[in-house]
């Protein structure tokens, strides 16, 4: 039934409005009146009211028992509430009785407490007044003691300040005069301590500085005073830097010396330039002295702060400053950073405003750097070590060789801060300009020597000018390792530049490497270039031999540059040497066109003492090369050293091709022996000592005796495997064999020239022995296929040597 009523109310268009949350009766009645359907709505409302009354009646009938039980509970609740009201009234009455007993005693206690507080404050003020009056009298006597009692006076003033800060003594006439005296006394003590500190720092008197610092510590203004001292030092230093670089003052100084007014416009004139430069450098020397003085004073102050302890608390002054302001105890680093920053700023400003000053400092940078290095050296020579502010540990004595490490270690607070580098960086713009001009000065004589309009090589005078320029630059930088290392790179660039210019003059075409006719103009030019390079190398070597004080990195750079000259000389002469070697090889190869198969008889005995035609041609060629092409070079030792591989190659080719002669008769052996003797004489034209050729010369000397020895004796030679390769002995023995046992290259159907080229391409002894092994196996198969039962006598010997060679390899 209930659900049906709600359903009718929600679905009915009129009743639905009464269920809306924002329903307003007045607005609804107004709309009904305006619609002129009042009777219809009233009937509808009466119907709805009647429906709700029926529903209420139905609910009351259905829940009759529950409604009666709820009514009984309401009556019980009213009884409980009445009881609680009675008890509350009783509690309020009891509280009123208690309040009457407590309020009066409480008010008395408050009054007595206020009186006690006022009495205590009065007593405390009286005690303070008494103490102030006592301390004031003591301060009078301490001030009369002068400098000896100034620290005690400062301690007394500190206590008086403490007393005055706790209580307001305004209006207390009994101590008014004392308060005025105390204020004046504090000013006097501060003034006296300030003068003492300044004087002690100036003369570096540790006792005076320590006493003044103790005064300021007692006055509790130590950190402010030290900070003010450092600020004054930086300000004074800034003014000195500006004065040293002030053009007007420099001009005035110059004019005063000349006895007349100076003008800035006339600074660069010929009459004033020297005097102006002298005045500038005098100012720079004074500035360096001022920098050292300021640093040494800061160093002295830092040293006292690190070592001085308060007599009462035993607290280090430096520790106290760090506690007040972290990092404030690192005076040296802070001063150094400020000083280098000031220098950098003022130098940059000067360079922008005055080109003449800039030009002077750039052109005479080494002189300026020398002042800086002297400053750094003087700074490093200061007293014993001052410990790190962050470690706060004191060492009374440190060896002299560690005397300045305190500054380096203090700057370790920045871990990577380099004080010397920071000092040099203030001159960075002048250094860069000087290095650029230095490189230009080094390049100028080279450009002049290698003028674009001429293909001539530099003369000895021009090379001497280049060397003098290099020596001059190096001597100027000899006092400073870092500048020397930097200039070393310029010298290296200069040498490379000279080599580049020289390389452009070299002729590498056929005219530069021919060995058929007289030396061509191209070969003459190449020789002149090599001679110029040699002279430069020799001259620079003499200069560099005097630079023992230069840093190792600079010397290494120089040596690398000199090695570059030698390499260019080698590259320049290499085409000619290759042509010489090719011609010698071609001449040696012609020995195979001569007949060495003749046997010994009386009609040919006169030929036993003469060498072969190819050897005569080789001898004549070598002598012609030495007297024409090589005679143009002044660098004899270098040429001979470069010819050493040519001579070695010539001997090796001679021995190789002599072992390939086939067939070789007794008369041929005699003539070949004469060739061996002649080759040693021939090679002396391109080699100072044949013994310097090493293994190649020993090979010639070792093979020559084997020509007339039997195959058995040859196989037993101790030189085999050491000086003489096994493959060469096998080639030599193959020339003695049966016609069926031909040399390896003939067995393979090759020419001697092709075989020689193959040997060059296969330097491995095992590869060569395998090639010979193939020819011997071919010979053995041929004998077997023909039904032969015996091999030539030399065959077993060759097989035995072959096996030893393979095992040895």
């Amino acid at each position: 039934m209930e659900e049906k009523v709600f359903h009718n109310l929600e679905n009915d268009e009129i009743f639905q409005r009464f269920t809306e949350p924002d329903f307003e009766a007045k607005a609804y009645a107004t709309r009904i009146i305006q619609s002129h359907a009042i009777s219809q709505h009233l009937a509808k409302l009466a119907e709805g009211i009647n429906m709700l009354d029926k529903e209420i009646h139905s609910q009351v009938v259905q829940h009759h028992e529950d409604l009666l039980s709820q009514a009984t509970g309401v009556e019980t609740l009213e009884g409980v509430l009445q009881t609680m009201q009675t008890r509350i009234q009783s509690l309020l009455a009891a509280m009123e009785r208690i309040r009457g007993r407590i309020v009066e005693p409480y008010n008395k206690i408050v009054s007595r407490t206020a009186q006690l507080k006022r009495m205590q404050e009065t007593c405390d003020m009286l005690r303070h007044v008494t103490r102030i009056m006592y301390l004031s009298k003591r301060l009078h006597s301490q001030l009369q003691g002068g400098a000896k009692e100034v620290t005690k006076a400062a301690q007394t003033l500190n206590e008086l300040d403490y007393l005055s800060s706790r209580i307001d003594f305004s209006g207390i006439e009994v101590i008014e005069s004392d308060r005025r005296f105390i204020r004046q006394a504090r000013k006097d003590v501060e003034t006296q301590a300030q003068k003492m500190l300044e004087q002690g720092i100036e003369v570096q008197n540790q006792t005076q500085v320590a006493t003044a610092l103790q005064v300021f510590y007692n006055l509790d203004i130590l950190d402010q005073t030290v900070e003010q001292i450092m600020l004054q030092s930086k300000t004074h230093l800034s003014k000195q830097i500006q004065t040293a670089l002030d053009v007007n003052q420099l001009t005035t100084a110059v004019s005063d010396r000349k006895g007349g007014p100076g003008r800035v416009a006339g600074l660069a004139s010929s009459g004033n330039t020297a005097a102006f430069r002298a005045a500038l450098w005098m100012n720079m020397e004074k500035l360096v002295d001022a920098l050292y003085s300021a640093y040494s004073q800061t160093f002295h102050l830092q040293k006292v702060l690190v070592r001085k302890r308060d007599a009462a608390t035993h607290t280090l002054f430096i520790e106290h400053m760090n506690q007040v302001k972290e990092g404030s105890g690192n005076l040296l680093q802070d001063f150094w950073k400020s000083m280098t920053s000031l220098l950098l700023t003022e130098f940059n400003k000067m360079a922008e405003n005055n080109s003449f000053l800039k030009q002077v400092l750039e052109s005479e940078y080494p002189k300026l750097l020398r002042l800086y290095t002297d400053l750094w050296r003087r700074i490093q020579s200061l007293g014993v070590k001052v410990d790190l502010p962050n470690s706060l540990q004191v060492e009374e004595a440190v060896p002299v060789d560690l005397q300045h490490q305190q500054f380096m270690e203090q700057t370790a607070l920045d871990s990577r801060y380099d004080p010397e580098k920071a000092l040099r960086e203030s001159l960075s713009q002048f250094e860069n300009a000087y290095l650029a001009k230095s490189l230009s000065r080094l390049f100028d004589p080279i450009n002049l020597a290698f003028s674009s309009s001429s293909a001539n090589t530099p003369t000895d005078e021009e090379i001497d000018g280049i060397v003098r320029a290099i020596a001059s630059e190096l001597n100027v930088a000899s006092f400073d390792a870092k500048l020397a290392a930097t200039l070393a790179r310029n010298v290296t660039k200069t040498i490379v530049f000279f080599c580049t210019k020289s390389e452009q003059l070299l002729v590498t075409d056929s005219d530069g490497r021919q060995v058929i006719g007289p030396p061509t103009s191209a070969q003459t030019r190449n020789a002149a270039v090599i001679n110029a390079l040699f002279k430069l190398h020799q001259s620079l070597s003499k200069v560099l031999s005097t630079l023992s004080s230069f840093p190792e990195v600079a010397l290494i750079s120089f040596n690398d540059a000199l090695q570059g000259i030698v390499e260019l000389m080698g590259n320049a002469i290499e085409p000619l040497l290759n042509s010489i070697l090719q011609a010698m090889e071609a001449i040696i190869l012609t020995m195979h066109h001569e007949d060495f198969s003749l046997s010994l008889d009386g009609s040919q005995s006169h030929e036993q003492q003469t060498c072969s035609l190819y050897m005569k041609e080789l001898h004549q060629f070598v002598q012609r090369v030495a007297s024409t092409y090589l005679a143009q070079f002044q660098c004899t030792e270098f040429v001979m050293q470069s010819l050493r591989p040519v001579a070695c190659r010539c001997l090796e080719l001679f021995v190789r091709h002599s072992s390939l002669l086939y067939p070789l008769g007794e008369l041929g052996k005699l003539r070949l022996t004469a060739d061996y003797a002649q080759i040693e004489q021939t090679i002396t034209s391109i080699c100072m000592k044949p013994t310097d050729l090493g293994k190649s010369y020993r090979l010639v000397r070792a093979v020559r005796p084997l020509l007339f020895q039997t195959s058995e004796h040859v196989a037993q030679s101790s030189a085999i495997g050491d000086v003489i390769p096994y493959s060469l002995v096998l080639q030599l023995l193959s020339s003695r064999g049966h016609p069926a046992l031909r040399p390896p290259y003939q067995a393979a159907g090759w020419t001697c020239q092709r075989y020689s080229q193959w040997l060059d391409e296969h330097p491995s002894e095992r590869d060569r022995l395998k090639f010979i092994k193939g020819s011997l196996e071919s010979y053995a198969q041929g004998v077997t296929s023909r039904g032969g039962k015996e091999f030539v006598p030399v065959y077993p010997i060759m097989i035995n040597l072959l096996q030893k060679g393979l095992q040895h390899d």
Side-chain angles (χ1 to χ4, degrees):
M1 182 65 180
E2 180 181 356
E3 294 179 357
K4 183 178 180 182
V5 172
F6 283 117
H7 181 72
N8 291 334
L9 291 174
E10 291 177 355
N11 293 331
D12 189 277
E13 182 179 356
I14 295 176
F15 294 150
Q16 185 180 10
R17 298 178 181 176
F18 290 92
T19 61
E20 294 176 355
D22 55 348
F23 175 77
E24 292 185 5
K26 291 182 178 180
Y28 182 72
T30 303
R31 285 198 299 272
I32 292 175
I33 295 172
Q34 291 176 355
S35 63
H36 305 287
I38 299 174
S39 58
Q40 296 177 0
H41 282 81
L42 289 174
K44 193 66 176 178
L45 290 174
E47 180 183 351
I49 292 170
N50 186 29
M51 182 173 56
L52 291 174
D53 288 340
K54 291 180 180 180
E55 180 61 26
I56 292 171
H57 182 268
S58 173
Q59 292 293 329
V60 171
V61 172
Q62 291 179 4
H63 302 87
H64 181 264
E65 296 296 334
D66 295 335
L67 291 173
L68 291 177
S69 63
Q70 291 293 332
T72 304
V74 170
E75 293 177 357
T76 304
L77 180 60
E78 288 179 353
V80 171
L81 292 175
Q82 186 66 34
T83 303
M84 292 298 296
Q85 183 69 25
T86 302
R87 293 179 179 178
I88 289 171
Q89 292 296 331
S90 301
L91 180 60
L92 291 174
M95 291 179 64
E96 287 294 333
R97 289 193 300 272
I98 293 173
R99 181 180 298 171
R101 295 178 182 180
I102 291 176
V103 169
E104 185 176 355
Y106 171 76
N107 291 333
K108 291 181 179 180
I109 290 174
V110 171
S111 175
R112 299 293 187 272
T113 302
Q115 293 175 2
L116 179 61
K117 179 181 178 182
R118 292 165 186 163
M119 292 175 65
Q120 288 177 342
E121 289 177 352
T122 303
C123 290
D124 189 39
M125 180 175 290
L126 291 173
R127 284 195 298 270
H128 279 69
V129 169
T130 304
R131 182 64 178 170
I132 289 174
M133 295 175 68
Y134 169 75
L135 292 177
S136 178
K137 293 179 181 179
R138 189 171 72 178
L139 182 60
H140 272 286
S141 62
Q142 290 172 343
L143 291 178
Q144 293 174 359
K148 295 181 180 180
E149 299 291 328
V150 67
T151 55
K152 295 181 180 179
Q155 194 170 6
T156 301
L157 286 170
N158 187 33
E159 184 177 355
L160 287 168
D161 289 341
Y162 173 75
L163 294 174
S164 300
S165 63
R166 299 186 61 188
I167 300 175
D168 184 10
F169 294 101
S170 300
I172 302 178
E173 297 179 356
V174 68
I175 60 172
E176 190 64 31
S177 60
D178 291 324
R179 292 180 64 193
R180 288 194 298 270
F181 167 71
I182 291 170
R183 287 193 294 269
Q184 184 61 39
R186 183 179 180 89
K187 293 180 181 180
D188 295 341
V189 169
E190 287 184 4
T191 302
Q192 184 179 359
Q194 186 71 26
K195 291 180 179 179
M196 185 183 300
L197 178 61
E198 293 175 355
Q199 183 179 359
I201 291 176
E202 184 176 356
V203 300
Q204 297 189 6
N205 187 317
Q206 292 192 26
T207 303
Q208 287 184 330
V209 174
T211 302
L213 292 178
Q214 182 68 59
V215 171
F216 291 120
Y217 179 83
N218 292 339
L219 295 176
D220 199 22
I221 57 172
L222 175 63
D223 53 323
Q224 298 96 318
T225 302
V226 172
E227 184 176 356
Q228 182 181 1
I229 289 292
M230 294 304 300
L231 181 60
Q232 291 175 355
S233 176
K234 295 172 186 176
T235 304
H236 179 65
L237 190 61
S238 176
K239 292 180 180 178
Q240 287 182 312
I241 296 173
Q242 293 173 359
T243 301
L245 301 175
D246 190 352
V247 179
N248 294 328
Q249 293 196 14
L250 288 172
T251 307
T252 302
V254 173
S255 63
D256 290 343
R257 293 179 185 178
K258 289 183 175 294
R263 293 178 300 170
V264 177
L267 291 180
S269 64
S270 58
N272 289 342
T273 300
F276 188 81
R277 287 175 179 267
L280 174 62
W281 288 117
M282 184 179 296
N283 280 8
M284 295 305 299
E285 291 175 1
K286 293 180 180 178
L287 175 60
V288 169
D289 292 338
L291 294 175
Y292 173 75
S293 176
Y295 177 84
S296 62
Q297 291 175 5
T298 305
F299 172 83
H300 181 72
L301 177 61
Q302 175 91 18
K303 185 163 59 175
V304 176
L305 284 171
V306 168
R307 294 183 175 182
K308 179 66 177 175
R309 293 179 182 271
D310 178 54
T313 62
H314 302 287
T315 302
L316 281 171
F317 285 178
I318 199 72
E319 183 181 12
H320 169 74
M321 292 182 62
N322 279 326
Q323 290 175 352
V324 174
K325 182 180 179 182
E326 185 177 358
S328 60
N330 194 9
L331 303 182
L332 285 175
Q333 178 175 320
D334 181 61
F335 171 80
W336 194 262
K337 287 183 176 180
S338 300
M339 184 187 76
T340 53
S341 177
L342 282 172
L343 288 171
L344 180 61
T345 303
E346 294 300 329
F347 276 133
N348 289 338
K349 188 185 299 182
M350 177 274 298
E352 293 177 359
N353 297 334
N354 192 287
S355 60
F356 182 76
L357 282 180
K358 178 182 178 183
Q359 182 181 359
V360 171
L361 295 180
E362 287 178 352
S363 60
E364 300 185 42
Y365 169 74
K367 189 173 182 179
L368 178 61
L369 181 61
R370 187 183 292 274
L371 293 176
Y372 265 45
T373 54
D374 290 342
L375 170 63
W376 181 251
R377 193 177 299 109
R378 292 167 65 187
I379 286 175
Q380 288 182 310
S381 65
L382 288 175
V384 297
K385 175 181 177 182
V386 177
D387 295 298
L388 286 172
N390 59 342
S391 67
L392 299 178
Q393 299 174 355
V394 179
E395 298 178 8
E396 295 300 330
V398 176
V400 176
D401 58 346
L402 300 178
Q403 58 189 2
H404 192 66
Q405 289 186 4
Q406 81 287 347
F407 180 54
M408 304 302 181
E409 294 175 356
Q410 286 174 16
T411 56
L413 296 175
D414 287 347
S415 72
R416 292 183 177 83
Y417 182 74
D418 186 350
E420 185 181 7
K421 181 180 178 182
L423 180 63
R424 295 178 71 102
E425 283 180 350
S426 63
L427 305 178
S428 57
Q429 64 165 328
F430 304 123
E431 180 178 7
N432 295 334
Y434 175 78
L435 292 176
K437 292 180 179 179
S438 171
L439 187 61
S440 177
R441 288 193 297 269
L442 292 173
F443 278 11
D444 285 344
I446 298 178
N447 288 323
L448 185 61
F450 293 91
S451 59
S452 58
S453 60
S454 174
N456 296 329
T457 55
T459 62
D460 291 348
E461 292 75 11
E462 291 172 335
I463 294 176
D464 290 339
I466 295 172
V467 174
R468 282 196 299 271
I470 293 176
S472 175
E473 295 296 329
L474 294 178
N475 289 333
V476 169
S478 60
F479 70 93
D480 183 73
K482 293 183 178 180
L483 180 61
T486 307
L487 275 178
R489 291 194 290 269
N490 279 1
V491 173
T492 301
K493 293 177 182 178
T494 303
I495 296 174
V496 171
F497 183 59
F498 184 92
C499 291
T500 303
K501 288 288 188 178
S502 299
E503 189 175 8
Q504 293 173 356
L505 293 179
L506 294 174
V507 181
T508 57
D509 57 12
S510 59
D511 287 344
R513 58 177 182 269
Q514 68 84 29
V515 290
I516 299 175
T520 63
S521 59
Q523 290 175 322
T524 302
R525 180 193 296 181
N526 289 350
V529 171
I530 293 175
N531 290 334
L533 290 169
F534 173 71
K535 180 172 179 57
L536 179 67
H537 183 278
Q538 292 296 99
S539 301
L540 289 179
S541 297
K542 292 179 182 178
V543 171
L544 300 182
S545 64
T546 63
L547 302 178
S548 58
S549 61
F550 265 51
E552 183 178 359
V553 63
L555 296 178
I556 293 175
S557 177
F558 293 150
N559 291 328
D560 290 344
L562 292 179
Q563 186 60 32
I565 295 178
V566 176
E567 291 177 359
L568 179 58
M569 292 170 63
N571 294 335
I573 201 174
E574 184 178 4
L576 177 62
L577 298 183
N578 290 338
S579 297
I580 294 173
L581 181 58
Q582 291 172 5
M584 294 172 69
E585 184 175 1
I587 295 173
I588 292 173
L589 192 61
T590 60
M591 73 165 63
H592 297 283
H593 300 161
E594 299 187 26
D595 188 3
F596 285 88
S597 63
L598 299 177
S599 300
L600 185 62
D601 56 38
S603 62
Q604 298 167 332
S605 59
H606 67 282
E607 297 182 5
Q608 297 175 5
Q609 304 301 323
T610 61
C611 60
S612 303
L613 294 176
Y614 78 90
M615 184 54 64
K616 294 179 181 179
E617 182 182 357
L618 179 63
H619 181 72
Q620 293 173 357
F621 173 77
V622 173
Q623 285 190 331
R624 183 170 64 85
V625 165
S627 62
T628 55
Y629 302 109
L630 303 183
Q632 300 180 95
F633 299 102
Q634 300 172 359
C635 43
T636 305
E637 184 178 354
F638 168 76
V639 172
M640 288 300 173
Q641 187 176 0
S642 301
L643 284 169
R644 185 176 298 175
V646 176
C648 292
R649 175 69 174 170
C650 178
L651 294 179
E652 292 171 0
L653 287 173
F654 170 74
V655 174
R656 175 190 297 176
H657 286 282
S658 67
S659 68
L660 297 178
L661 292 173
Y662 180 84
L664 183 61
E666 293 301 320
L667 185 59
K669 292 179 181 179
L670 284 174
R671 194 169 58 179
L672 190 58
T673 302
D675 293 343
Y676 268 86
Q678 184 64 40
I679 193 68
E680 293 183 27
Q681 181 181 357
T682 300
I683 212 68
T684 56
S685 299
I686 57 174
C687 178
M688 292 182 179
K689 294 181 180 180
T691 54
D692 294 339
L693 301 181
K695 187 176 180 180
S696 300
Y697 179 71
R698 294 198 301 271
L699 177 64
V700 173
R701 302 287 291 183
V703 172
R704 182 180 177 183
L706 301 182
L707 295 177
F708 286 97
Q709 293 181 5
T710 63
S711 300
E712 291 77 6
H713 285 89
V714 170
Q716 295 175 1
S717 175
S718 60
I720 299 176
D722 180 20
V723 179
I724 308 175
Y726 283 92
S727 60
L728 182 64
V729 177
L730 291 172
Q731 291 172 177
L732 185 62
L733 292 177
S734 66
S735 65
R736 305 181 176 191
H738 191 272
L741 182 59
R742 293 182 171 277
Y745 71 92
Q746 291 186 7
W750 289 2
T751 63
C752 187
Q753 183 177 3
R754 180 181 177 187
Y755 180 61
S756 178
Q757 183 179 356
W758 183 89
L759 291 176
D760 292 335
E761 296 172 353
H762 296 79
S764 172
E765 182 68 5
R766 177 171 290 274
D767 292 343
R768 296 179 178 184
L769 291 175
K770 286 181 179 180
F771 187 89
I772 297 175
K773 180 181 179 181
S775 65
L776 292 177
E777 290 176 350
S778 176
Y779 163 73
Q781 290 176 0
V783 173
T784 304
S785 64
R786 291 193 301 269
K789 297 180 180 180
E790 293 183 358
F791 298 104
V792 294
V794 77
Y795 176 76
I797 299 173
M798 295 178 67
I799 290 296
N800 186 31
L801 284 174
L802 177 63
Q803 292 175 351
K804 289 182 179 180
L806 291 173
Q807 294 174 358
H808 181 271
D809 184 65

